[in-house]
Amino acid sequence: VPTTRILDDVDELLAVLSTADRHTDSIVGGDVIDVLSHSLQCAAVLRQHCPMDVELHLGGLVHDIGHLLVPGDADGHGRHGADAVRELLGDRVADLVELHVPAKRYLVTTDPAYRESLSRGSTHTLALQGGPLSPGEVRAFEAHPQAEAALRLRRADEAAKVPGRSVPGLGTWRPALQLLAG
Ligand SMILES: [Fe+2]
């Protein structure tokens, strides 16, 4: 079982994320956007929708970091990302990172419009991630304290795949990251 590297400080986290502009295949399938642009768009969308929830913004920023830390294990990327940031950014951000994968399966199961709107790449990875949830799994997901925020992150995730969209750069997130890590 592959395990991730634990990120010790904000500099290390930013260094990992800064390499994400070279990863386009991590999102898998037909989504032609690099992981850095995607992550920055996701954080920006969440800041726009929920301006006061900085942890949610940062969850969006780091939600796919597992792809970078453990390349080739798309299946486990939510868990790897959560493990990597839990100590540094806290349980809530880590839970959001982990839950963004089952959140997709939850929305596919419960919201036909969401399923319809999934990008080509996201539909492809859905099968690998286990497809729709069983009724018991749906109830278990809903019972998690961060379920609602995780669904927000997931919808932002899908909206954050616009090639060439201009959003604030990685460095603009440093103060918020440092404050939370502090
Ligand atoms: Fe994503």
Side-chain angles (χ1 to χ4, degrees):
V1 182
T3 52
T4 189
R5 175 171 128 214
I6 306 300
L7 300 171
D8 291 324
D9 56 43
V10 169
D11 285 335
E12 195 183 347
L13 184 149
L14 288 171
V16 171
L17 274 182
S18 71
T19 67
D21 60 340
R22 284 174 287 176
H23 293 258
T24 47
D25 56 355
S26 306
I27 298 173
V28 185
D31 298 326
V32 187
I33 184 164
D34 66 85
V35 175
L36 180 58
S37 301
H38 169 63
S39 302
L40 292 170
Q41 285 185 24
C42 188
V45 166
L46 288 164
R47 182 159 60 185
Q48 202 177 358
H49 291 175
C50 310
M52 304 305 287
D53 194 346
V54 176
E55 288 178 333
L56 181 58
H57 312 161
L58 297 179
L61 184 69
V62 303
H63 77 279
D64 274 339
I65 203 166
H67 282 304
L68 308 167
L69 293 168
V70 188
D73 187 17
D75 232 12
H77 84 276
R79 189 167 38 81
H80 295 315
D83 290 348
V85 304
R86 188 172 297 278
E87 195 116 313
L88 185 64
L89 301 180
D91 284 334
R92 182 160 180 256
V93 171
D95 286 352
L96 290 173
V97 169
E98 183 149 17
L99 286 173
H100 91 275
V101 179
K104 175 161 114 179
R105 297 179 61 202
Y106 176 86
L107 286 170
V108 161
T109 309
T110 59
D111 182 351
Y114 174 85
R115 184 176 195 134
E116 207 54 36
S117 74
L118 274 188
S119 66
R120 207 148 39 100
S122 206
T123 303
H124 172 78
T125 51
L126 175 65
L128 302 173
Q129 289 157 353
L133 296 181
S134 70
E137 289 171 322
V138 165
R139 283 192 297 276
F141 180 85
E142 287 169 344
H144 194 286
Q146 297 309 325
E148 205 180 309
L151 294 175
R152 290 214 164 106
L153 196 161
R154 188 69 229 188
R155 291 186 187 277
D157 189 355
E158 298 303 333
K161 297 176 180 179
V162 183
R165 183 196 282 166
S166 161
V167 290
L170 189 55
T172 64
W173 292 100
R174 178 187 283 276
L177 285 165
Q178 268 164 345
L179 201 62
L180 188 60

